[in-house]
Amino acid sequence: MYIDVSFGDGPVVISVPHDGATRVVGALQRAETLRWERECGPDARDVGTWEVADACVKELSELGISASRIASALHRSHMDANRAPGQEPFVDGFEATYHLFHHHLHEAIRRSVAVNGRCLVVDLHSFIASPGPETYDFVLGSDGHRTCPGKSDLFVARVLKERYRVVFSPDSRLGVTGIYRGGWIVRSIAKEWNGQRVDALQIEINRLLYPDVSSSEIASFLARAIHCSLQDI
């Protein structure tokens, strides 16, 4: 009910775990998001990522790649698909939603590997607070490149850098922290699909880009970066 899925048969899967806006009246809220809202104010959504994901799927289609997309419409105050089972990822009533998100995500990966022999998973997020002393447009997280054994993260970064300010998290040389190094989604995928030509990359988009750059423009460049990276996975 709260998970929106579109399956493709190409080697790309895009996940959108944090742009859900649906808050259920009377439902409990996760302690983590309650703390964030006390300290920073609402709303703890990765605003704009669903729109970018859909535009990216369309752009990839025009490049001949039929991508899958899995998104949660449920607000992360009730369920956070980017948290491990032991990190209290859901409150009472939303356990099935959490498992359904991951079921669809892994089914999309399974189909991609079965058809194409490989898969690139792009986990889309957005941020406001920079992880370092400079301002960045994109922050890439592949757990120190461990979740991308096919080096797709390096190819994506190289293309994005043609237009945008891009950095990996962490990068000690630049003073960039590991806050966006790659969460449960990319790390669990890398562990489960180890040795099967599956790369998983977390991409954080600076929300301050949106007033000046359209979602379709961001998606167009991102799709090109993904397309280039597939040559070497």
Side-chain angles (χ1 to χ4, degrees):
M1 165 177 185
Y2 298 113
I3 308 303
D4 190 276
V5 183
S6 59
F7 286 117
D9 57 9
V12 177
V13 176
I14 301 175
S15 65
V16 188
H18 290 161
D19 200 10
T22 302
R23 289 179 181 263
V24 180
V25 176
L28 296 173
Q29 297 188 65
R30 297 172 55 248
E32 183 181 41
T33 49
L34 286 173
R35 175 176 59 80
W36 288 343
E37 291 177 356
R38 283 196 307 270
E39 296 174 356
C40 306
D43 176 328
R45 288 173 56 202
D46 284 353
V47 176
T49 51
W50 196 326
E51 186 176 356
V52 170
D54 282 349
C56 191
V57 169
K58 181 179 178 181
E59 291 285 342
L60 285 168
S61 177
E62 293 178 2
L63 293 170
I65 297 171
S66 175
S68 296
R69 193 266 294 134
I70 296 89
S72 171
L74 187 66
H75 193 273
R76 68 194 294 189
S77 62
H78 303 312
M79 186 279 293
D80 188 339
N82 199 33
R83 295 292 182 269
Q87 294 179 302
E88 300 181 353
F90 50 80
V91 294
D92 287 349
F94 300 105
E95 179 177 3
T97 306
Y98 175 83
H99 290 297
L100 184 61
F101 182 97
H102 286 283
H103 168 77
H104 286 313
L105 180 57
H106 284 269
E107 175 61 16
I109 298 170
R110 186 197 67 77
R111 291 185 184 195
S112 178
V113 172
V115 174
N116 306 281
R118 59 180 178 167
C119 182
L120 170 58
V121 181
V122 175
D123 188 38
L124 277 185
H125 299 261
S126 66
F127 72 97
I128 294 177
S130 173
E134 303 294 332
T135 299
Y136 307 103
D137 299 320
F138 288 87
V139 180
L140 307 187
S142 53
D143 197 24
H145 309 294
R146 284 182 284 272
T147 66
C148 288
K151 304 185 186 302
S152 61
D153 54 341
L154 300 178
F155 286 94
V156 168
R158 185 180 67 188
V159 175
L160 289 177
K161 284 179 180 179
E162 293 177 11
R163 180 172 298 182
Y164 299 103
R165 293 161 295 181
V166 181
V167 72
F168 277 94
S169 170
D171 190 327
S172 58
R173 298 169 303 167
L174 299 177
V176 176
T177 71
I179 187 172
Y180 304 128
R181 71 179 304 134
W184 168 250
I185 287 176
V186 298
R187 287 186 282 108
S188 63
I189 288 170
K191 181 178 180 181
E192 179 170 344
W193 296 88
N194 183 38
Q196 300 182 63
R197 296 187 74 197
V198 174
D199 279 12
L201 174 61
Q202 180 171 307
I203 297 182
E204 299 270 352
I205 306 169
N206 191 333
R207 288 182 221 172
L208 298 179
L209 277 176
Y210 295 141
D212 300 317
V213 184
S214 68
S215 297
S216 59
E217 183 178 342
I218 294 172
S220 179
F221 223 78
L222 180 57
R224 181 185 157 211
I226 291 171
H227 181 261
C228 289
S229 75
L230 292 173
Q231 311 308 312
D232 291 273
I233 295 181

